[in-house]
Amino acid sequence: MSILEIITYPNNFLRQLTKAVDNITGQTQDLIASMVETMYAAPGVGLAANQVGSEQRILVFDASNRDETRSPTILINPKIIERHGEIISEDEGCLSVPDFRSNVRRAESILVECVDRDGNPLSIEASGFLAIILQHEIDHLEGKLFIDHISKLKRQLFTRRMKKRLKDR
């Protein structure tokens, strides 16, 4: 296990579609362990594999309170099957989009199908905060960022600020 470097916007790797995991190997398990360690170290509540430079369709998350025992969940090849309702994710942020937060419209409840780290089929019915986490991380696996869900004007202002910050380095 090791803490991995988190790729940040505007790196184009974040825009690539991830590839389905056909065979869960020892290398897959090592990646998962490192992703969990990286997520906690960041600190974050979720992390998609492409955020750490892997093309695999894997995400990890932990929706428990920081005071509770850590309880990471691993999803391989997750796909949103159903979406219901609408909720505003207030002050949403992202480890790959540092120093920016915004309100984002998300489905209030979703159904996700995937396999767990042992290859067992898994269905998750999620609502509220858990639904927000899953939609955010699955978006990553689809090459989307939360800033893609905000107004064009806010996105342009953020992009200009990031380009200026990168130029000033």
Side-chain angles (χ1 to χ4, degrees), residues 111-129:
L111 172 64
V112 174
E113 291 184 353
C114 59
V115 297
D116 66 15
R117 71 183 309 162
D118 297 315
N120 301 311
L122 185 62
S123 283
I124 299 174
E125 291 184 38
S127 60
F129 184 55

Side-chain angles (χ1 to χ4, degrees), residues 93-102 146 158 161-162 165 169:
C94 178
L95 298 173
S96 289
V97 185
D99 304 323
F100 184 76
R101 302 186 76 78
S102 187
F146 86 101
F158 171 72
R161 190 173 71 199
M162 284 301 295
R165 186 180 299 160
R169 282 188 185 175

Side-chain angles (χ1 to χ4, degrees), residues 84-107:
H84 301 284
E86 186 176 288
I87 190 171
I88 299 293
S89 169
E90 295 180 4
D91 202 34
E92 190 168 321
C94 178
L95 298 173
S96 289
V97 185
D99 304 323
F100 184 76
R101 302 186 76 78
S102 187
N103 294 344
V104 178
R105 291 188 185 279
R106 299 281 187 189

Side-chain angles (χ1 to χ4, degrees), residues 3-23:
I3 295 177
L4 305 170
E5 181 181 346
I6 296 173
I7 296 172
T8 57
Y9 178 83
N11 189 310
N12 284 329
F13 193 82
L14 295 169
R15 297 299 191 174
Q16 295 179 21
L17 293 174
T18 55
K19 298 175 183 169
V21 176
D22 296 324
N23 188 19

Side-chain angles (χ1 to χ4, degrees), residues 28-155:
T28 309
Q29 297 294 349
D30 290 346
L31 172 63
I32 290 167
S34 293
M35 286 175 64
V36 169
E37 187 175 346
T38 302
M39 175 185 67
Y40 287 132
V45 295
L47 189 67
N50 58 336
Q51 290 180 274
V52 293
S54 172
E55 294 180 329
Q56 296 184 69
R57 193 168 177 83
I58 300 171
L59 68 83
V60 301
F61 72 92
D62 188 343
S64 62
N65 291 327
R66 300 230 186 263
D67 301 337
E68 298 174 11
T69 303
R70 290 181 169 174
S71 182
T73 301
I74 290 81
L75 305 184
I76 298 174
N77 301 330
K79 183 174 183 170
I80 297 174
I81 303 302
E82 295 178 14
R83 298 174 192 261
H84 301 284
E86 186 176 288
I87 190 171
I88 299 293
S89 169
E90 295 180 4
D91 202 34
E92 190 168 321
C94 178
L95 298 173
S96 289
V97 185
D99 304 323
F100 184 76
R101 302 186 76 78
S102 187
N103 294 344
V104 178
R105 291 188 185 279
R106 299 281 187 189
E108 198 284 322
S109 63
I110 60 172
L111 172 64
V112 174
E113 291 184 353
C114 59
V115 297
D116 66 15
R117 71 183 309 162
D118 297 315
N120 301 311
L122 185 62
S123 283
I124 299 174
E125 291 184 38
S127 60
F129 184 55
L130 179 56
I132 290 167
I133 292 170
L134 291 174
Q135 289 171 87
H136 180 107
E137 300 308 330
I138 291 171
D139 271 357
H140 275 297
L141 300 175
E142 306 273 334
K144 299 176 190 168
L145 299 171
F146 86 101
I147 59 173
D148 297 336
H149 297 285
I150 63 176
S151 74
K152 186 176 181 179
L153 178 61
K154 282 185 183 178
R155 191 169 48 252

